[in-house]
Amino acid sequence: MTVEVQILGLCRWSYPSAPGAFQKEEKGGFETLRQALYDPLRLELRLFYLEHVVLPSLRAQTDPDFKIILLMGDTLPEPARSKVLELISDIPQIKPVFAREGQHHQEICRDVMVAERDMDMRAVAEFRLDDDDAVAVDFVERTRDFFPKVKGIFRNGGKLALDFNKGFILQTDLSGVKLIPVTTRYWTPGLVLYLRPQAAESLLHFNHAQMWKRIPMLSFPRVPMFLRGAHGENDSSVSYNPHNSEEVWFDKDKLPETMMERFNIPLDRLKTAWDTVLDRE
């Protein structure tokens, strides 16, 4: 089969951009923001999510032809810096980028994405993961297989979005680990944007919740395709009891099986690792 689309992802891992990029930020300017992001306890929590949530499904992708830029600051302190590189060392599809800190958020994200685009491809499929999210093990495969079916729509404007809109909220707090099934709209870990490689914009130029106003969108609600982390540090509000919670499609007795089959995450190991984090706190 001819490869027509490049699958390109972005994960921002505690990158200190210029103030104003996120809803929840420490007051006091860039240095205050940087210190908050590099707080040792916070970095320990982010390493937990990276190891036990983000990476397992990337290792198990049924289509290994993809690339993810892991965007970090050039002064990310030790031991976090070495630990990140150790955790991703067996996943060649992840490219660590240590960028100069304090750059405009949208611009640095665009620059690192555009730098990795293959200009010979018909399209680039861009997606992003927060550092506490996961995609299903067939995310890349389905993203690639979807494109030939909708090339006519894509050719009309050079942009098309795919919304994998079924998944789970992954709640981690003092009570432990809980997974809440949801069917929702336009959540970032389930959203893919197909662009021409020569496009000036990248995924970060579009507000994910408002993208439907500007770009043709199709949804895919057949199987769970994402985990979205929910805890006290979320920039956007993810309700622990969302109005779009839909347990009707979910068999609770099959949760461990579902986590392994869809995300390559052993649920018992995840819960044990989280308990260990709580004990250290």
Side-chain angles (χ1 to χ4, degrees):
M1 182 181 69
T2 302
V3 177
E4 297 182 307
V5 59
Q6 177 189 16
I7 314 299
L8 185 61
L10 174 68
C11 180
R12 302 158 296 177
W13 205 86
S14 299
Y15 173 75
S17 57
F22 298 97
Q23 298 176 38
K24 295 182 181 179
E25 288 185 349
E26 298 288 333
K27 296 181 180 179
F30 171 73
E31 188 56 35
T32 301
L33 170 64
R34 180 180 171 277
Q35 291 178 7
L37 288 174
Y38 288 166
D39 176 79
L41 179 56
R42 182 188 179 279
L43 289 176
E44 183 178 355
L45 288 172
R46 307 330 278 187
L47 285 167
F48 161 81
Y49 294 119
L50 182 66
E51 179 176 1
H52 296 284
V53 178
V54 180
L55 297 182
S57 72
L58 299 181
R59 289 191 179 93
Q61 286 297 309
T62 55
D63 181 343
D65 185 9
F66 67 96
K67 180 179 286 187
I68 293 183
I69 297 100
L70 190 63
L71 176 62
M72 296 169 280
D74 57 357
T75 70
L76 177 66
E78 296 289 358
R81 183 183 182 118
S82 295
K83 182 63 175 178
V84 169
L85 295 177
E86 177 188 345
L87 289 172
I88 67 173
S89 61
D90 65 331
I91 309 176
Q93 295 91 343
I94 298 180
K95 179 177 180 177
V97 174
F98 294 95
R100 178 176 56 83
E101 297 169 2
Q103 299 186 63
H104 184 275
H105 177 255
Q106 192 178 79
E107 291 178 1
I108 181 59
C109 290
R110 176 199 176 276
D111 289 348
V112 297
M113 293 290 274
V114 170
E116 299 300 327
R117 287 181 183 171
D118 184 343
M119 296 299 169
D120 293 329
M121 291 290 179
R122 180 167 296 184
V124 55
E126 293 188 350
F127 68 99
R128 62 173 164 142
L129 288 174
D130 286 342
D131 60 4
D132 52 8
D133 294 338
V135 292
V137 296
D138 55 353
F139 183 91
V140 172
E141 179 182 358
R142 290 185 185 272
T143 296
R144 191 184 311 282
D145 290 349
F146 179 81
F147 181 73
K149 303 172 185 177
V150 293
K151 284 190 296 186
I153 302 175
F154 176 78
R155 282 196 298 265
N156 190 43
K159 297 183 183 69
L160 178 67
L162 171 60
D163 185 19
F164 291 118
N165 60 347
K166 179 174 285 188
F168 294 90
I169 294 173
L170 172 63
Q171 175 183 327
T172 48
D173 57 24
L174 294 176
S175 67
V177 173
K178 182 179 180 181
L179 287 144
I180 304 171
V182 291
T183 304
T184 185
R185 294 187 298 270
Y186 319 138
W187 279 11
T188 53
L191 197 59
V192 178
L193 177 62
Y194 298 92
L195 295 162
R196 293 192 176 102
Q198 299 79 15
E201 311 101 324
S202 73
L203 179 62
L204 271 294
H205 282 85
F206 301 90
N207 182 311
H208 62 92
Q210 303 295 320
M211 194 180 294
W212 61 274
K213 295 181 179 180
R214 302 174 59 187
I215 298 171
M217 300 193 72
L218 295 172
S219 62
F220 185 93
R222 294 180 183 174
V223 292
M225 291 294 293
F226 66 83
L227 299 180
R228 181 172 183 179
H231 45 81
E233 292 189 3
N234 289 97
D235 182 60
S236 57
S237 176
V238 180
S239 172
Y240 285 175
N241 296 291
H243 69 277
N244 47 10
S245 177
E246 284 199 349
E247 299 192 12
V248 64
W249 63 261
F250 174 60
D251 185 346
K252 292 182 179 179
D253 294 335
K254 293 184 177 180
L255 183 56
E257 178 184 337
T258 299
M259 288 301 106
M260 275 302 300
E261 178 183 319
R262 300 300 302 149
F263 302 100
N264 192 38
I265 294 177
L267 187 56
D268 288 345
R269 188 182 305 171
L270 176 64
K271 291 180 176 180
T272 299
W274 180 246
D275 288 342
T276 301
V277 170
L278 294 180
D279 289 342
R280 285 200 294 267
E281 290 184 1

